[in-house]
Amino acid sequence: MFYIEDYLPACMFITLAILLFSGFPVGFVLGGVGLAFGFIGMYFEVFSQVEFFNLVLRIWGFADNLVLVAIPMFIFMGTMLERSGVAANLLYCLQVVLRRTPGGLALAVTVMGTILAATTGIIGASVVMISLMALPVMVEREYNMELATGTIAASGTLGILIPPSIMLVIMADLLGRSVGTLFVAAIFPGLILSGLYFVYIFTRCAMNPALAPRLPKEMGPQTSGELILLLLKGLVPAVFLIVLVLGSIVAGWATPTEAAGVGAAGATFLAIINRQLTWSVLKDVVERTSLTNAMLFFIFVGATAFSYVFRSLGGDDFIQDVIYSVGTNPWWILVILMAVVFFLGFFFDWIEITLIVLPVFAPILAELDFGDHLPKSEVIYWFSILMAVNLQTSFLTPPFGFALFYMKGVAPPQVRLQQIYRGIIPFVLLQLIGLGLVIVFPEIAMWLPRVLLD
């Protein structure tokens, strides 16, 4: 017999999917759908009025979580780096070092994106920053636009995976797992993606040098002493900040929250050294940090309301029944979950996917046994890294790839959106190859945590 209350969770997801395209703020949509279906559940007597009071307690517990204090400090660190001149010096330094290499400027952008990812997890800031600094130079040097735009978009989004990643902080809180373990587990997968980009660009430009004309040999310092000074000014500050943040976590000297505070202080110190820390700069950094942080936490509040009502209406059981209906083979279930996340990335941002999907999918994976492939105690950490690698594609895949619109907003007028769309195709394929490698070889993610944290 058909009972509509059994399908309320499915109706919640469908309603959410439709309203996310309405243009309303995501936090309002998530919270509004949750509250609305709470009242609908009361009508069908599958949700009680007293449960609305539990929402307040859950939201307060979320806001009272000290782990999440790291988020505003990481945002501050990334924003301060953008304004301090560290990134501009870094790109120029890498251009000079790689100027005789095929695709030297594109390779410099890849290395810069990797280093920036290890100092900040702010994707919008990274993509805009690299686009403003590198894309006009690539246009001037007559780079192939598809190669140029794809390189910038893919490299700028590495921060979603390479720690300190805001997404990993949120994942750890949702799953009740260690942030430090997730940070360490994400290092090698992030470096593998960066390495795939590097090899692809180098190989393609070596085979067809016309795609990326080399920079003139007279560019930059001509003596060893000048080169050393350039490295000290351009490379050392970024490495210094990486050691402060990641080194303190890996060595066990600081928690991720404490390391975030050290990173924020380090970024401010670098701004002072570069003589960029003025009152107007500090005010702008604080304002942008506050607005970004408020946007994120507003979405958290809405997602908390949505997920609580969804689960109260039997959403967990509904999702499990749908997934198990295709079979109980753990590998088949994993492939389906990864395919769902990849498909959702075409339409939704990583925040919505993480906050809505991860709490539902993670318990399913926790019950699966992959035999000798991976110890059961590590499955959740492994699945979280797979999600993170998969979700990096959400920034690049049209029609709503946010990195593409960040870039288009600051790109020279001759760079067309169609060129940007074509440019990201090989990099999305490289990301899927990276995802496949981590699936087949889970040691890529789990070896370093075993060595450092066991």
Side-chain angles (χ1 to χ4, degrees):
M1 184 177 293
F2 177 83
Y3 296 101
I4 191 171
E5 54 265 32
D6 294 336
Y7 295 90
L8 287 180
C11 295
M12 279 191 75
F13 256 124
I14 295 172
T15 303
L16 176 66
I18 294 172
L19 292 181
L20 282 175
F21 292 105
S22 66
F24 285 103
V26 173
F28 280 119
V29 172
L30 286 167
V33 171
L35 293 177
F37 273 84
F39 286 111
I40 294 173
M42 286 176 57
Y43 176 80
F44 287 102
E45 298 181 350
V46 291
F47 190 87
S48 61
Q49 185 176 357
V50 72
E51 290 186 87
F52 284 115
F53 294 97
N54 293 336
L55 287 177
V56 179
L57 297 177
R58 283 178 173 263
I59 291 170
W60 173 250
F62 195 91
D64 195 42
N65 192 333
L66 292 178
V67 173
L68 299 181
V69 176
I71 292 178
M73 289 189 287
F74 280 137
I75 296 173
F76 179 92
M77 180 176 67
T79 310
M80 182 62 77
L81 276 179
E82 180 187 355
R83 296 298 305 272
S84 66
V86 172
N89 293 336
L90 175 62
L91 180 60
Y92 180 72
C93 174
L94 293 172
Q95 285 184 65
V96 171
V97 172
L98 296 170
R99 66 183 183 272
R100 299 180 182 178
T101 308
L105 181 53
L107 295 177
V109 167
T110 303
V111 176
M112 179 184 178
T114 306
I115 294 176
L116 286 180
T119 54
T120 174
I122 312 302
I123 302 305
S126 297
V127 173
V128 170
M129 190 184 343
I130 298 175
S131 298
L132 286 172
M133 290 187 294
L135 195 52
V137 180
M138 289 176 156
V139 171
E140 179 184 350
R141 299 292 177 186
E142 297 182 348
Y143 260 63
N144 175 272
M145 276 301 97
E146 283 80 5
L147 177 65
T149 55
T151 299
I152 293 173
S155 301
T157 57
L158 284 169
I160 201 66
L161 176 61
I162 296 178
S165 164
I166 293 174
M167 181 171 70
L168 295 180
V169 176
I170 296 172
M171 282 184 169
D173 178 70
L174 290 174
L175 298 173
R177 295 300 194 272
S178 165
V179 180
T181 303
L182 277 182
F183 274 9
V184 174
I187 292 176
F188 280 166
L191 293 178
I192 283 177
L193 280 186
S194 176
L196 289 173
Y197 301 162
F198 197 95
V199 171
Y200 166 75
I201 295 167
F202 179 86
T203 304
R204 191 175 176 194
C205 293
M207 295 174 61
N208 186 2
L211 294 174
R214 298 191 184 189
L215 299 173
K217 294 182 180 180
E218 61 272 12
M219 177 182 176
Q222 302 300 313
T223 66
S224 299
E226 292 176 345
L227 180 60
I228 291 174
L229 288 175
L230 179 64
L231 291 174
L232 288 174
K233 182 180 179 181
L235 190 61
V236 171
V239 174
F240 164 75
L241 199 60
I242 292 173
V243 172
L244 279 180
V245 178
L246 289 185
S248 60
I249 296 174
V250 172
W253 300 335
T255 66
T257 303
E258 293 166 341
V262 172
T268 305
F269 175 74
L270 292 179
I272 294 173
I273 295 297
N274 285 349
R275 298 180 181 179
Q276 297 292 326
L277 188 62
T278 63
W279 174 251
S280 61
V281 168
L282 182 60
K283 180 182 177 182
D284 180 58
V285 169
V286 171
E287 286 181 352
R288 290 165 62 183
T289 300
S290 301
L291 290 172
T292 304
N293 189 60
M295 180 270 293
L296 285 173
F297 276 82
F298 186 65
I299 294 176
F300 296 160
V301 170
T304 300
F306 179 91
S307 61
Y308 178 80
V309 175
F310 180 77
R311 288 183 166 186
S312 294
L313 296 178
D316 287 359
D317 295 334
F318 178 81
I319 294 295
Q320 290 183 16
D321 290 343
V322 170
I323 292 177
Y324 288 138
S325 66
V326 301
T328 58
N329 185 292
W331 289 105
W332 182 235
I333 292 175
L334 179 64
V335 169
I336 291 175
L337 296 183
M338 289 295 104
V340 169
V341 171
F342 179 73
F343 175 76
L344 291 175
F346 281 81
F347 305 101
F348 304 127
D349 193 6
W350 69 268
I351 304 175
E352 298 98 74
I353 299 174
T354 301
L355 293 176
I356 298 170
V357 172
L358 187 61
V360 176
F361 282 1
I364 298 174
L365 262 293
E367 297 300 320
L368 300 182
D369 187 357
F370 291 88
D372 296 335
H373 191 72
L374 187 74
K376 196 169 183 179
S377 61
E378 297 179 351
V379 169
I380 287 296
Y381 287 107
W382 178 55
F383 176 66
S384 300
I385 299 303
L386 294 179
M387 280 276 294
V389 176
N390 200 339
L391 284 173
Q392 194 189 352
T393 63
S394 69
F395 284 94
L396 303 182
T397 47
F400 298 113
F402 289 93
L404 313 183
F405 294 104
Y406 291 146
M407 182 188 302
K408 179 57 180 172
V410 297
Q414 60 265 47
V415 178
R416 301 190 305 275
L417 189 59
Q418 292 87 341
Q419 292 174 315
I420 298 176
Y421 279 159
R422 290 196 297 269
I424 58 92
I425 293 174
F427 291 93
V428 171
L429 294 177
L430 290 173
Q431 289 171 346
L432 294 178
I433 291 173
L435 176 63
L437 288 174
V438 181
I439 291 176
V440 176
F441 305 104
E443 292 79 10
I444 294 174
M446 301 313 305
W447 178 81
L448 196 57
R450 292 171 190 163
V451 172
L452 296 178
L453 303 177
D454 283 353

